[in-house]
Amino acid sequence: MSSDAAADLQRRIHAGIPLSRAMAYRITRLTDSAITVQAPLEPNVNVHGSGFAGSLYALGILTAWGLCAHLIARAGLQADLVVAEATIRYTAPVRTGICCSSAVSDADARDFLGSLAGHRRARARWRDPDRGRV
C-alpha cells in the first residue's frame, strides 16, 4: 500500500475528527487489509502518568474506523461510517507510546463489502483468533 493512501486517510481522519489531532494520532502502517496507528503518551496521559482510558478507547475506535473507511474507499463504495457499538477491556496500564492495530481476513472483508454493496448496510464483526470477537 502506498504511503499516499495512509497520508490521505490520516488527513481525512484529522479533518473529520479533531480529537485525533490533539491525540497526535498517526497511521504508521496501512495495507490492503490491516492498519497500525500510534499516538505518543504525553498528550494522552492520565493523573497516574499512564495512558488515559478515554484516549486508549478513542485510538482503538479510530483504528477500526480507519480500516473500515480504507476498505470502503478501496472498493469504490460510498457510505456513512458509524460506530454503533464497541467495548474495551483494560488489562494493564500503558506507560509508553500507544500503538493499536487492526486487520481483517480477505473473507471477512469480502462479506463486509458485499453486504454494504448489496444491502447498503453492513456490520464489521471481525474476530481475533486469540481473543474472540473484536
Side-chain angles (χ1 to χ4, degrees):
M1 182 59 49
S2 78
S3 61
D4 289 344
D8 289 344
L9 179 57
Q10 183 172 306
R11 275 192 294 276
R12 179 177 171 202
I13 289 170
H14 283 317
I17 305 165
L19 174 64
S20 66
R21 270 193 312 274
M23 294 175 62
Y25 164 98
R26 67 185 179 95
I27 297 172
T28 57
R29 180 176 163 264
L30 183 65
T31 69
D32 287 347
S33 60
I35 187 172
T36 301
V37 305
Q38 293 182 346
L41 183 61
E42 187 173 299
N44 299 292
V45 73
N46 64 22
V47 297
H48 307 288
S50 59
F52 175 60
S55 292
L56 301 175
Y57 186 85
L59 191 68
I61 294 296
L62 286 169
T63 303
W65 191 97
L67 181 56
C68 288
H70 177 61
L71 291 170
I72 292 166
R74 270 191 47 244
L77 301 172
Q78 292 188 0
D80 291 325
L81 187 53
V82 176
V83 176
E85 180 182 348
T87 59
I88 190 169
R89 183 167 179 247
Y90 304 99
T91 59
V94 174
R95 302 206 183 277
T96 62
I98 306 163
C99 181
C100 190
S101 298
S102 183
V104 62
S105 71
D106 290 342
D108 285 340
R110 273 193 308 276
D111 289 348
F112 173 71
L113 294 169
S115 180
L116 183 60
H119 305 290
R120 300 180 51 114
R121 188 175 195 128
R123 229 177 244 271
R125 292 184 187 232
W126 303 323
R127 302 195 186 286
D128 178 330
D130 298 325
R131 290 180 286 186
R133 192 177 72 169
V134 293

